[in-house]
């Protein structure tokens, strides 16, 4: 039996399979390109960590360009507006991250605050960092990394009905930033700071963050290429089975 006689797929399924395989492979190529772009972007952001610290005034002019630049701020924490984000894991330990707005030293009451990710606290210590009924901390020096804060939908609101715990928070998610700002009676700066060192007493545990990709582009690329290959394999098996059925019919 010749090759053509042993492989006889119908025209319709052949066209559909080839179109689908081409689409899957195109998606795979797109993910490869995204991976290449993401790798270069992460390398650029990682290199910024070694640059000289940026001032808040410089950072808010272009938050994206200042992402992962070192920053130093002095002010008082608005302890009554602290939120805990979690539960999250650090290594094998379960706990939460502590977020508190910082009022810059000598800033007027109406000035926007800087949101600070103060770091991780273990679950057994979270009660110590629950917000009191108002009040500020003593003057503190915060050293960390500047991160853009997506304020697109954020508006000041009221402390009435505020939430102490957030199941998740990401500075690049406008909806989450808006929910946080809605329970604060003041605006936030377009840049937040992630503390890079533990506070006095050891908690919260601030540590320098490294930029990471939110998406596994290589994994997605392999998935799309694999789906395309499986589509072609299924089409080949279908063509062989149909040839046998026609030969036996």
């Amino acid at each position: 039996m010749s090759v053509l006689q042993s492989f006889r797929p119908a025209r319709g399924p052949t066209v559909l399979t080839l179109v689908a395989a081409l689409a899957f492979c195109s998606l795979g190529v797109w993910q490869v390109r995204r991976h290449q772009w993401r790798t270069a972007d992460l390398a650029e952001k990682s290199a910024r960590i070694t640059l000289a610290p940026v001032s808040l005034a410089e950072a808010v002019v272009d938050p994206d360009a200042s992402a992962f630049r070192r920053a130093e701020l002095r002010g008082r924490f608005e302890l009554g507006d602290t939120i805990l984000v979690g539960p999250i894991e650090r290594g094998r330990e379960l706990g939460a991250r502590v977020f508190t707005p910082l009022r810059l030293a000598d800033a007027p009451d109406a000035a926007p605050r800087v949101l600070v990710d103060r770091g991780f606290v273990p679950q057994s210590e979270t009660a110590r960092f629950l917000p009191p009924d108002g009040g500020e901390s003593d003057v503190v020096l915060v050293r960390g990394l500047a991160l853009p804060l997506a304020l697109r939908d954020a508006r000041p609101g009221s402390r009435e009905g505020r939430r102490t715990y957030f199941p998740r928070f990401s500075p690049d998610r406008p909806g989450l930033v808006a929910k946080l700002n809605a329970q604060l009676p003041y605006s936030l700066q377009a840049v937040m700071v992630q503390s890079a060192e533990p506070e006095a007493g050891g908690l919260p545990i601030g540590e320098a963050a490294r930029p990471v990709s939110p998406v596994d582009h290589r994994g997605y690329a392999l998935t799309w290429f694999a789906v395309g290959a499986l589509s072609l394999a299924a089409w080949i098996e279908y063509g062989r089975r149909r040839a046998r059925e026609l030969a036996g019919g």
Side-chain angles (χ1 to χ4, degrees):
M1 182 179 294
S2 67
V3 174
L4 292 178
Q5 290 176 325
S6 62
F7 180 68
R8 299 178 63 183
R11 180 178 299 176
T14 297
V15 171
L16 290 175
T17 299
L18 294 179
V19 169
L22 179 62
F24 293 142
C25 289
S26 296
L27 288 170
V29 170
W30 180 73
Q31 288 292 345
V32 169
R33 291 174 177 169
R34 290 289 294 175
H35 170 69
Q36 294 170 340
W37 168 83
R38 183 74 68 180
T39 300
D41 179 64
L42 295 180
E44 179 187 357
K45 289 178 178 177
S46 295
R48 294 176 189 169
I49 298 176
T50 63
L51 299 177
V54 64
S55 69
L56 179 64
E58 293 172 318
V60 297
V61 171
D62 192 346
D64 290 332
S66 300
F68 292 95
R69 288 283 300 273
R70 288 181 293 144
E72 295 183 1
L73 303 176
R74 187 180 298 274
R76 298 177 184 271
F77 283 126
E78 299 274 11
L79 297 176
D81 294 325
T82 294
I83 66 165
L84 302 182
V85 177
I88 62 171
E89 287 185 324
R90 179 179 180 268
R92 297 183 178 180
E93 195 169 24
L94 192 65
R97 296 194 72 86
V98 181
F99 287 74
T100 308
L102 181 78
R103 178 178 176 179
L104 297 178
D106 302 323
D109 187 61
R113 295 347 185 227
V114 180
L115 183 64
V116 177
D117 176 357
R118 298 165 61 188
F120 174 88
V121 293
Q123 193 170 31
S124 59
E125 300 289 340
T126 53
R128 288 175 47 194
F129 295 91
L130 291 173
D133 294 330
E136 294 181 333
S137 70
D138 295 331
V139 175
V140 296
L141 176 64
V142 177
R143 295 187 178 96
L145 300 180
L147 299 174
L149 193 63
L151 295 179
R152 186 185 68 200
D153 304 321
R155 300 289 185 277
S158 168
R159 292 188 178 98
E160 184 177 352
R162 66 187 175 96
R163 297 165 54 192
T164 300
Y165 276 92
F166 277 53
R168 63 188 184 280
F169 181 82
S170 177
D172 59 358
R173 298 288 297 276
L176 296 177
V177 175
K179 287 181 180 179
L180 172 59
N181 205 170
Q183 64 181 37
L184 303 175
Y186 43 76
S187 300
L188 294 172
Q189 294 280 7
V191 171
M192 65 168 287
V193 172
Q194 186 175 56
S195 179
E197 54 189 30
E199 293 185 13
L203 293 176
I205 304 172
E207 50 195 347
R210 287 285 176 179
V212 296
S213 174
V215 178
D216 182 7
H217 294 293
R218 284 191 298 182
Y220 280 126
L222 290 173
T223 299
W224 287 123
F225 287 136
V227 172
L230 289 173
S231 299
L232 291 175
W235 171 68
I236 292 172
E237 178 58 28
Y238 156 73
R240 290 175 175 173
R241 187 175 68 249
R242 184 170 183 271
R244 291 194 297 268
E245 292 173 351
L246 293 175

